[in-house]
Amino acid sequence: MLWGALGAFTLQSAVFFRLTFWDLSWDVMEPITFFVTSSSLLAGFFFFVLTHRDPSYRDLMDTLVRNKQQKLMQKKQFNEERLKELQMQCCIPSYASQKTFSKDH
């Protein structure tokens, strides 16, 4: 997914460069680039409003991985509560508690 985003941003920059310096002029492209940039800022704010997390790549990837993991667990009928019980019995810390611990220290 990150490679796709890198490719999309590279392609967007190349298209803007081509349109600005060969096909059109800066007078035409300035408002277009402004609105594209504003749209990306709005998308980041929209992500923050929905998830209450920073619109950073790490938080975005964490959200995407967690959503994919939950969909797979539902599809495969995985019992997450049973996993937590077994982890407690074996004294294995869960991923969430490791993440919390690392942020605090």
Side-chain angles (χ1 to χ4, degrees):
M1 183 157 210
L2 288 176
W3 284 105
L6 176 65
F9 286 132
T10 303
L11 180 65
Q12 174 185 326
S13 296
V15 167
F16 284 170
F17 188 82
R18 168 76 187 192
L19 292 174
T20 301
F21 296 110
W22 277 281
D23 299 333
L24 303 172
S25 68
W26 177 244
D27 294 333
V28 174
M29 290 302 297
E30 183 180 16
I32 294 171
T33 56
F34 171 78
F35 286 115
V36 169
T37 303
S38 298
S39 298
S40 63
L41 290 173
L42 281 172
F45 184 67
F46 186 69
F47 176 81
F48 173 74
V49 168
L50 288 178
T51 63
H52 302 289
R53 299 182 77 174
D54 290 334
S56 66
Y57 289 114
R58 181 179 260 318
D59 284 341
L60 175 64
M61 288 305 296
D62 286 346
T63 301
L64 292 174
V65 167
R66 186 175 43 254
N67 289 343
K68 180 71 171 178
Q69 186 179 36
Q70 287 175 351
K71 287 179 184 178
L72 284 172
M73 281 191 229
Q74 288 175 354
K75 181 179 178 182
K76 301 292 183 179
Q77 298 176 348
F78 185 79
N79 189 347
E80 191 174 6
E81 293 300 320
R82 179 70 176 141
L83 173 65
K84 288 178 184 177
E85 289 174 13
L86 292 172
Q87 286 176 337
M88 293 297 290
Q89 290 175 0
C90 296
C91 298
I92 299 174
S94 66
Y95 175 73
S97 64
Q98 289 175 357
K99 191 171 184 180
T100 304
F101 180 78
S102 66
K103 283 186 177 180
D104 292 340
H105 293 77

